[in-house]
């Protein structure tokens, strides 16, 4: 019924850039938050960047100044521009969408993830 599909991952040399994209499909009409998370081997999933419907964005300290999150509310898409990548950015990146209904009920949806590998 609801699906998030990530794309744009791959292998890049340190110092390079990648742009991740996430598209939401299905019965989603009240998305108020979209975000990117990442999970490296042996580590917990962590929030990378988050954007609310009004356009305000929040970033993890480790990516501030290097990553930029942007969204298209009409299309229910979100992108993550990643610059000056380092090997520490290597992880599976996941897209998350939060939907809040009129009765305040919240639903969270996750994508399958896209691999980002940064070589030295």
């Amino acid at each position: 019924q609801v699906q998030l599909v990530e794309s744009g991952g791959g292998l890049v040399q340190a110092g390079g850039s990648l742009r991740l994209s996430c598209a939401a499909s299905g019965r989603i009409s009240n998305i108020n938050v979209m975000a990117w998370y990442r999970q490296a081997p042996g580590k917990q999933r962590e929030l990378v960047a988050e954007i609310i419907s009004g356009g305000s964005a929040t970033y993890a300290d480790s990516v501030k100044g290097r990553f930029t999150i942007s969204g298209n509310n009409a299309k229910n898409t979100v992108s993550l521009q990643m610059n000056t990548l380092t090997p520490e950015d290597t992880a599976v990146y996941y897209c998350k969408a939060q939907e809040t209904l009129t009765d305040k009920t919240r639903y969270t949806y996750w994508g399958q993830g896209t691999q980002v590998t940064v070589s030295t």
Side-chain angles (χ1 to χ4, degrees):
Q1 57 180 40
V2 176
Q3 185 176 30
L4 303 180
V5 180
E6 303 101 334
S7 62
L11 175 64
V12 65
Q13 186 174 316
S17 300
L18 285 174
R19 184 176 179 85
L20 306 182
S21 296
C22 173
S25 62
R27 291 173 288 158
I28 305 177
S29 59
N30 294 290
I31 293 178
N32 61 292
V33 180
M34 296 194 77
W36 287 96
Y37 286 72
R38 68 185 181 187
Q39 187 167 26
K43 300 182 66 177
Q44 292 186 312
R45 189 171 299 186
E46 65 175 347
L47 175 66
V48 177
E50 185 178 70
I51 187 169
I52 63 175
S53 60
S56 180
T58 301
Y59 299 91
D61 288 341
S62 60
V63 306
K64 285 182 179 178
R66 299 189 297 119
F67 291 10
T68 302
I69 187 171
S70 60
N72 187 318
N73 294 330
K75 297 181 179 180
N76 285 332
T77 61
V78 64
S79 298
L80 184 69
Q81 179 66 44
M82 306 185 294
N83 298 326
T84 320
L85 287 162
T86 75
E88 293 184 346
D89 295 316
T90 296
V92 177
Y93 284 70
Y94 298 90
C95 177
K96 187 192 81 171
Q98 178 182 289
E99 179 183 25
T100 302
L101 305 182
T102 304
D103 65 357
K104 309 303 181 183
T105 301
R106 294 181 182 177
Y107 296 92
T108 301
Y109 310 101
W110 291 92
Q112 293 296 307
T114 184
Q115 177 70 48
V116 172
T117 302
V118 184
S119 63
T120 302

